[in-house]
Amino acid sequence: MSPASTSAYLVLSDGTVYRGEAFGARGEGEGEVVFHTAMTGYQEILTDPSYAGQIVCMTYPEIGNVGTNPQDEESCGIFLRGFVVREHVDFPSSWRSRESLQAYLERHHIPGISEIDTRALVRRIRTQGAMNGVLVHGEASQEELVARARALPSMAGRNLVDEVTCREPYRWDQGRDWAPDPAPMPRYHVVAYDFGVKRNILRNLVNAGFEVTVVPAHTSAEEVLALQPDGIFLSNGPGDPAAVEYAIPNVRKLVGKRPLFGICLGHQILGLALGGRTKKLRFGHHGANQPAQDQATGRVLIVSENHGFALDADSLASNSELEITHINLNDRTVEGLRHRRLPLFSVQYHPEASPGPHDAAHLFSRFRKLIEGQRAQA
Amino acid sequence: MPRREDLHKVLIIGSGPIVIGQACEFDYSGTQACKALREEDIEVVLVNSNPATIMTDPGFASRTYIEPLRLETLKRILERERPDAVLPTVGGQTALNLAVALAESGTLDRLGIELIGAKLGPIQIAEDRLRFREAMRGIGLELPRSTYVRGLAEGGAALAEIGLPAIIRPSFTLGGSGGSLAESESQFHELLEWGLRQSPRGEALVEESVLGWKEFELEVMRDRADNVVIICSIENFDPMGVHTGDSITVAPVQTLTDKEYQRMRDAAIGVIRKVGVDTGGSNIQFAVHPDTGKMIVIEMNPRVSRSSALASKATGFPIAKIAAKLAIGYTLDEIPNDITRETPASFEPTIDYVVTKIPRFAFEKFPGADSRLGIQMKSVGEIMSIGRTFRESLQKGMRSLEIDRYGFDASSLSDAQLREQLREPGPERLWRIGDAFRRGWTLEEIHAQSRVDPWFLNQIRELIREDEAFDATSDLRRAKRNGFSDRRLAELCQVTEDEIRRRRLEQGIVPVFKRVDTCGAEFKAHTPYLYSTYEQECEAHPSDRPKIVILGGGPNRIGQGIEFDYCCVHAVMGLRQDGYETIMINCNPETVSTDYDTADRLYFEPLTLEDVLAVVECEQPLGVIVQFGGQTPLRLAAALERAGVSILGTSPDAIDRAEDRERFADLIVKLGLRQPKNGTARNVGAAHKLAQRIGYPVVVRPSYVLGGRAMQIVHGPDALEVYMREAVAVSPEHPVLVDRFLADAIEVDVDAICDGRVVVIGGIMEHIEEAGVHSGDSACSLPPYSLPRYTIEEIRRVTRMLALELGVRGLMNVQFAVARDQVNVLEVNPRASRTIPFVSKAIGQPLAQFAARVMAGKSLAELGFTAESEPDHISVKEAVFPFVKFPGVDTLLGPEMKSTGEVMGIDREFGRAYAKAQSAAGMGLPDSGAVLVSTRDEDKARIVEPVRALAELGFRILATQGTARYLSERGIRTETVHKVSEGPRNTAELLTRGEVDLVIVTTRTGDPEAVQHSMAMRRAALEHSVPYFTTVAGARAAAAAIRAQRAGDIEPIALQDLYPT
């Protein structure tokens, strides 16, 4: 909005050029352009490692209203490559705000573009599918930008987990800020594979009564079992699940050994480990209003989702021991999985929310119950 | 779960007349519910006393009762119709209260009828503050501290417990009526007394004040499988302390982080589950402390509401329709989303624009009313606007209000006045904030005074900066993106609006249209529900079908309300029958016309020249209809025509010929008709000369007004002098009209339809109140109940002459005054009038549909409507007033319209129809008891007959001295009572003690002293809910009605039994 604003461009691989105003850190970003339909929670989205390699466009036009604060960070940084909004608000109002969005993006070296017709962009992605794009500040040759966008690698086949996973194992013991009930006792030990884990998952595990050890994505099954976990958690993360080649055999080895719970990419990797296939969705699900229906009860949960790939239902059908527990009512894609015999389940959506509704928060307790059930049998 | 198979017949209760706090949003929700149930082959029985609603059109229900919304009437209808269930959640607080009464009286159990949508238990928990608090405590949610008071004696203890400031809320009222804020001890006791009186149960809640906290609302829906979704989040611009109906509100929430929003969402879901609403929607309000984030629950409405209507329009998710489907057993996942078609209703809408609602006030109608806003609702209407940013949305909203303001214009208040208006919000606080920034006040200072969130203040600050800096060299595109109107930019550049428009078009700066689609463009939208904005891509995709644009009526206000929306909706229905694509433009979120299901295409836009032209340019319609939306679109007619837009129906020139008094006088002379002596004055001196020539009393008014704005009866030169100074200020561009006032005349309203060759009378309505009372405020009877046949014939003849001479194509309304057997023409309005829905229901013919089709080229012969219908039943319309909301305001009627709504009574005989209308208007007439009479001298002779009738029916007659003597002398046994000024045992005291059952009081309206003296009596009658009549004619009708109701039970009648549908 300031008169001294610099122009910025977002250029898509199909040749579409959006000219807007620069905000955030001066610079440029390249990646797959996706849109997110949540009206709140831009800070959580910015700091969710699952957006590594992507440029994210918010469909809600006023972004920056509530600034940023230390409690709402989902990781130690920002892994997305560019941020696209209709209206960048540089005057936050919130009793928790410590830093404006502008300052926050600058500090994390993330470029943004505002004042473009974001709805037109969303409609393009919806009709043409997610595609690569380049976001630059300042003047640049549009042909060159289009060429650069076209040259970018497709998201399919990309392992981005390596960019975001932790280097060393660590313990996590912090719970949610607003937890109505004390964590149950006794505490169980869960080892969480970090494919790009969101902190709110770890917080929810703590609140469900877990001691949490987070391990890097490469950690072998043997190393995990050596930690003597009561359960193993497979986290969310960025990119193509099929490309995280080392994780699939690791998980396969863990199936049946300990109770398993997977979220998002973790759910996809679990599905792959169980013999399923994943497919790339046209433009994915990125929002906080998705209807996931529990196939057993018919109940609909309003959930947060963020994925460009999904398990192919047909590929799971051949294994009669697998059960699709949830589907997305919008496009009937797979949203949840369980094994009829072995102690494992996973969901495509985000029960930890952040941003989004808490409708599925009980899944963390369900994981705990699964472990308790196993121990009772043993 | 599929729908329940055991429900075949459902009764829907409407919300009755439009009052402050309950307006056409309940026609919107009720109409949706009727449609939703009929889609399921459920037989719908509808009860609503308001004839101006779409829902009471006989086609929307199987059985339609335009009957009083009273327990006894409902019981009889239930006994006769024996529905399986009652749906009480789409008719506002009125319907909910009636449902509770029906349940508590045992009627529902006795007849085996179920409440659906909300059961008795949940309603009671939500409505009873104490039980609600207990329920909330059970799920860990706090409410403001509070305690119930059931008598004045308990006041002291309550005060000690809660402290000051405290809020006093009477139980079981609508629109927060009677609620008020006490800041001192004496104020506390005074307000408590008033509050206890307001409550139908003599009970009030004294509550901790959370003034200045941030205020939010969530619209929640739940189905019987326990799926819960939030349809919309709303943030109030005005913090706690201003009733949400009077607050500017914004969707979605702007100043909560996701963590805080989700906590609120969890709380809302907890509330709806705990209260137990399991098949429908609720509105839940929260307050959040701005510095600590502490969240408390304020209240819950277990029904659709004004906010849910707004939320439906704001998101495209039709809450009432879905609520009706849930009530009959569907679950959310079984109901498709109409807009996307491919996705189900079990999701939460996400929006990619900002919605602003701004209330519309009418304080100018109630001199003496306190215009400061508080926790009792005072606004009479609202607008909604959509923009891609808050700034755009806000500025579009400001120009939608139709208060002749097109942006942040500056005021000339003193700093002290400004500060006071920031602290104590009035209808113009938004502009006052702008003024403060313009004067260089800091944001912190403005926040400290107003408590408006800094986020909103900063947005206004940016707009003011741009407004102040704007000149011919500024960035026009940027200004348009921020919502500036051409008109405002023209003011800032001191050029004409046309000039700005020309420059704008030269630079290719035109708006595009985006769709409201519930999903932020994630799915394809199949419903053309559009709003304008300045972006790149346009999604209007106009069709190439022949199409017609209908301009709606804008915000409800006194004089222009639901009646015009009814006409607009009928225009759509009519034109559709002839194969036209219909395009609606309107900005009132309460209405049926702005349901995306009504017209083929809906543009949710301000009704200004700029915004209408943008739609017309995009759509290229055959023409635009301006006849149905009241004064709002009419005011645009000439400018639209100048811009090359074809105006369908009666030509703007003919409209001008009827509205311009000089041209009209020529017309009257040409046709050899009579009108009261009149003239036009352009300055004070001319007015005096004119009045002298015509002879006092005279009616004075500015030209081109609706609802009698600033119209007065003036009895002498001094009063004229005062009026002229005010009136000229009211409308500087237009002269003042002066007419001879015909005292004691009977006024008659006629609605007719003409295709240029044939004129068909729709209905002739005889006013009950004599001339001098605005036609919108007067009760009337169709057909006339006292006029001789030859007078009615003359009225028909004159109406036909006028219609043909003016070349009317469509509707025409004529007002006559019959004095000494002579028919005088008061005014002609070649457009839809306020009475069209009433007449249509009375005669069983859709006049507005016929009119729209005539305007598009059909002849009346082709429509098969060539003869006046002469029903053998009597229909009475009665007006409903908002006086109870404005303490200290006189209830006397005059030429300036003050009513907000209307009711209808239908029966075979006048007395019964009138009794029904009175009962429906909340003035149910007594069968026995005491009548208090006090009349001015001129009326004494004429009052004898009705008073004698009442005495013969066994009423005790109480009268003030002069009246008592006069009546006694004529053989009526009368007890003398004192006037208020005469000491104890006075009229007001008797009313307060409940010793009076009916009041007849007439006053010399031209005598301020007499008016002042009798006012206490009128207020006391109003406040103690004693039916009162301020005219002789009204008293006469009341006597007839009481005789009729004494003669035998008055039975409800369904429209379908009166005429075939």
Side-chain angles (χ1 to χ4, degrees), chain A residues 135-189:
Chain A
L135 191 170
V136 298
H137 285 183
E139 294 301 325
S141 148
Q142 292 176 14
E143 293 76 41
E144 206 176 291
L145 294 176
V146 173
R148 271 175 67 187
R150 287 200 175 127
L152 292 174
S154 160
M155 190 53 87
R158 282 189 82 189
N159 172 357
L160 290 163
V161 168
D162 291 359
E163 286 183 26
V164 299
T165 186
C166 57
R167 298 285 165 254
E168 298 293 332
Y170 63 94
R171 300 285 289 220
W172 179 273
D173 54 15
Q174 186 200 357
R176 292 198 313 269
D177 278 357
W178 288 308
D181 305 309
M185 294 299 276
R187 290 187 174 251
Y188 294 120
H189 181 210

Side-chain angles (χ1 to χ4, degrees), chain A residues 1-3 17-19 35 37-42 44 59-62 64-66 69 71-72 74 86-87 89-96 115-124 126 178 200 203 283-293 298-302 329-331 353-359, chain B residues 214 225-229 251-252 254-263 265-266 269 273 288-293 333 342-344 346-354 388-391 443 453-455 458-459 461-462 466 478 481-482 514-515 517-525 531 534-537 539 541:
Chain A
M1 272 305 298
S2 73
V17 176
Y18 298 91
R19 185 171 188 276
F35 63 86
T37 62
M39 294 183 285
T40 52
Y42 57 82
E44 289 88 335
T59 60
Y60 183 65
E62 299 266 10
N65 306 13
V66 288
N69 65 63
Q71 304 94 43
D72 291 353
E74 283 302 320
R86 165 64 179 80
E87 169 82 3
V89 180
D90 200 22
F91 185 91
S93 173
S94 163
W95 65 93
R96 295 199 298 133
E115 298 287 324
I116 72 163
D117 188 343
T118 47
R119 187 171 161 91
L121 170 64
V122 170
R123 281 164 44 85
R124 177 151 292 268
R126 183 186 84 211
W178 288 308
N200 218 45
R203 295 183 193 116
F283 53 89
H285 301 160
H286 311 276
N289 65 342
Q290 299 278 332
Q293 187 176 46
R299 282 282 292 277
V300 181
L301 305 174
I302 303 303
L329 288 178
N330 287 341
D331 60 6
S354 203
H358 301 154
D359 287 13
Chain B
K214 290 151 80 91
D226 194 29
N227 297 311
V228 187
V229 291
Q254 301 293 331
T255 67
L256 291 180
T257 65
D258 184 66
K259 296 284 179 294
E260 294 136 21
Y261 171 68
Q262 298 303 339
R263 234 175 108 220
R265 182 182 180 279
D266 290 347
I269 293 172
R273 285 193 174 133
V288 172
H289 193 286
D291 302 325
T292 65
D333 54 298
E342 60 190 276
T343 61
S346 55
F347 81 117
E348 299 195 345
T350 186
I351 65 182
D352 57 3
Y353 44 82
V354 180
R388 284 277 279 167
T389 61
F390 173 70
R391 292 190 299 279
L443 190 147
D453 192 279
W455 191 83
N458 176 59
Q459 297 284 333
R461 179 168 64 184
E462 289 190 13
E466 190 168 1
R478 194 178 112 167
R481 271 166 81 82
N482 280 329
K514 299 266 183 208
R515 293 195 181 211
D517 63 6
T518 74
C519 63
E522 186 176 358
F523 304 99
K524 185 172 166 37
Y531 67 94
Y534 286 80
E535 293 266 31
Q536 287 176 328
E537 186 184 60
E539 300 169 41
H541 309 309

Side-chain angles (χ1 to χ4, degrees), chain A residues 23-44:
Chain A
F23 79 106
R26 194 170 164 87
E28 53 180 65
E30 299 174 339
E32 184 187 45
V33 184
V34 296
F35 63 86
H36 203 293
T37 62
M39 294 183 285
T40 52
Y42 57 82
Q43 190 186 350
E44 289 88 335

Side-chain angles (χ1 to χ4, degrees), chain B residues 609-657:
Chain B
L609 181 65
E610 168 185 352
D611 298 289
V612 170
L613 280 178
V615 175
V616 167
E617 273 149 21
C618 172
E619 288 283 353
Q620 298 294 325
L622 296 175
V624 173
I625 291 185
V626 297
Q627 261 193 27
F628 293 115
Q631 200 69 22
T632 301
L634 277 182
R635 276 171 34 151
L636 296 176
L640 285 172
E641 195 175 49
R642 268 202 306 280
V645 178
S646 159
I647 304 294
L648 298 186
T650 311
S651 70
D653 181 65
I655 295 172
D656 186 66
R657 210 173 152 203

Side-chain angles (χ1 to χ4, degrees), chain B residues 69-276:
Chain B
L69 291 170
R70 300 270 140 196
L71 182 59
E72 286 313 311
T73 312
L74 263 292
K75 277 185 187 169
R76 288 198 187 176
I77 293 172
L78 287 176
E79 278 160 8
R80 185 189 300 173
E81 295 289 347
R82 294 297 182 114
D84 300 306
V86 171
L87 178 66
T89 52
V90 294
Q93 194 65 35
T94 300
L96 210 58
N97 287 354
L98 267 172
V100 169
L102 283 169
E104 288 179 347
S105 67
T107 308
L108 297 182
D109 283 346
R110 177 166 58 82
L111 300 173
I113 296 170
E114 184 187 351
L115 276 183
I116 57 172
K119 308 271 179 221
L120 181 62
I123 297 173
Q124 286 172 331
I125 295 173
E127 296 286 313
D128 180 322
R129 298 294 290 178
L130 216 56
R131 293 182 64 183
F132 185 61
R133 168 188 305 278
E134 281 311 308
M136 292 303 100
R137 195 170 285 157
I139 52 171
L141 293 174
E142 286 179 56
L143 265 73
R145 273 178 298 136
S146 69
T147 183
Y148 265 103
V149 175
R150 289 184 188 80
L152 276 178
E154 296 173 20
L159 182 60
E161 188 188 333
I162 305 301
L164 293 171
I167 288 174
I168 295 157
R169 291 179 196 271
S171 311
F172 285 92
T173 64
L174 56 94
S177 130
S180 46
L181 178 80
E183 289 177 296
S184 72
E185 199 175 329
S186 63
Q187 208 182 7
F188 176 87
H189 292 292
E190 193 181 306
L191 291 170
L192 181 63
E193 183 180 356
W194 198 68
L196 290 172
R197 265 207 317 267
Q198 290 306 306
S199 166
R201 310 223 168 148
E203 182 184 86
L205 183 83
V206 177
E207 195 174 72
E208 167 195 14
S209 161
V210 286
L211 282 182
W213 291 31
K214 290 151 80 91
E215 187 173 354
F216 300 91
E217 292 174 69
L218 295 187
E219 294 300 323
V220 192
M221 300 203 82
R222 180 166 176 236
D223 66 22
R224 63 171 170 153
D226 194 29
N227 297 311
V228 187
V229 291
I230 310 293
I231 304 307
C232 188
S233 67
I234 300 173
E235 176 161 357
N236 286 22
F237 171 97
D238 297 282
M240 289 296 296
V242 176
H243 189 283
T244 182
D246 285 354
S247 294
I248 296 172
T249 64
V250 180
V253 156
Q254 301 293 331
T255 67
L256 291 180
T257 65
D258 184 66
K259 296 284 179 294
E260 294 136 21
Y261 171 68
Q262 298 303 339
R263 234 175 108 220
M264 192 174 282
R265 182 182 180 279
D266 290 347
I269 293 172
V271 172
I272 197 169
R273 285 193 174 133
K274 182 72 182 178
V275 170

